[in-house]
């Protein structure tokens, strides 16, 4: 039984950062998924895949895993590099790409 501890990334569908400040402990799959031959559904008998525990800090998640004897790996978050972009840059004469319709 092993787990992954990570901080979820921002959803691509919205600009907000809700639910990205929590750290999540998620179990790795122990049993491979199977495909139902009649309907084509995928299923698994591994019930731990449904468990997601949330923690306020990374240290809380790590201490929980160590207390319960869970082998874990920590995935560090990658914060995006923000560039300052101005609307006026679209109309600069020294653009790298030509502005066309």
């Amino acid at each position: 039984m092993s787990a992954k501890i990570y901080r979820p990334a921002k959803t691509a569908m919205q600009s907000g950062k809700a639910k990205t400040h929590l750290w999540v402990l998620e179990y790795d799959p122990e049993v491979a998924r199977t495909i139902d031959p009649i309907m084509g559904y995928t299923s698994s008998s591994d019930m731990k895949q449904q468990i997601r525990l949330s923690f306020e800090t990374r240290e809380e998640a790590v201490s929980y895993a160590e207390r319960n004897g869970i082998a874990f790996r920590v995935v560090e978050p990658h914060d995006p590099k923000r560039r300052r972009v101005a609307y006026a840059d679209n109309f600069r004469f020294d653009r790298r790409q030509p502005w066309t319709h």
Side-chain angles (χ1 to χ4, degrees):
M1 175 170 64
S2 62
K4 174 173 72 169
I5 297 173
Y6 66 97
R7 199 172 77 194
K10 175 182 87 64
T11 177
M13 301 306 290
Q14 296 183 2
S15 62
K17 293 185 179 182
K19 299 181 185 176
T20 60
H21 66 281
L22 297 176
W23 286 82
V24 176
L25 184 138
E26 193 173 79
Y27 290 98
D28 293 329
E30 293 179 350
V31 179
R33 292 181 180 259
T34 58
I35 299 174
D36 182 61
I38 297 173
M39 297 297 290
Y41 298 145
T42 57
S43 63
S44 176
S45 61
D46 186 14
M47 299 304 284
K48 291 197 183 244
Q49 285 184 324
Q50 299 177 9
I51 299 173
R52 290 183 58 167
L53 301 174
S54 299
F55 298 93
E56 290 291 326
T57 63
R58 175 181 179 241
E59 290 76 23
E60 289 178 7
V62 168
S63 67
Y64 175 84
E66 289 173 347
R67 252 193 335 252
N68 292 308
I70 301 168
F72 65 92
R73 67 183 190 284
V74 177
V75 178
E76 294 295 330
H78 299 285
D79 294 327
K81 296 177 183 172
R82 302 285 180 192
R83 292 186 326 153
R84 286 193 63 143
V85 179
Y87 179 71
D89 291 341
N90 291 331
F91 305 103
R92 290 176 53 177
F93 68 92
D94 60 346
R95 284 179 52 111
R96 291 185 181 163
Q97 298 173 344
W99 184 80
T100 61
H101 288 295

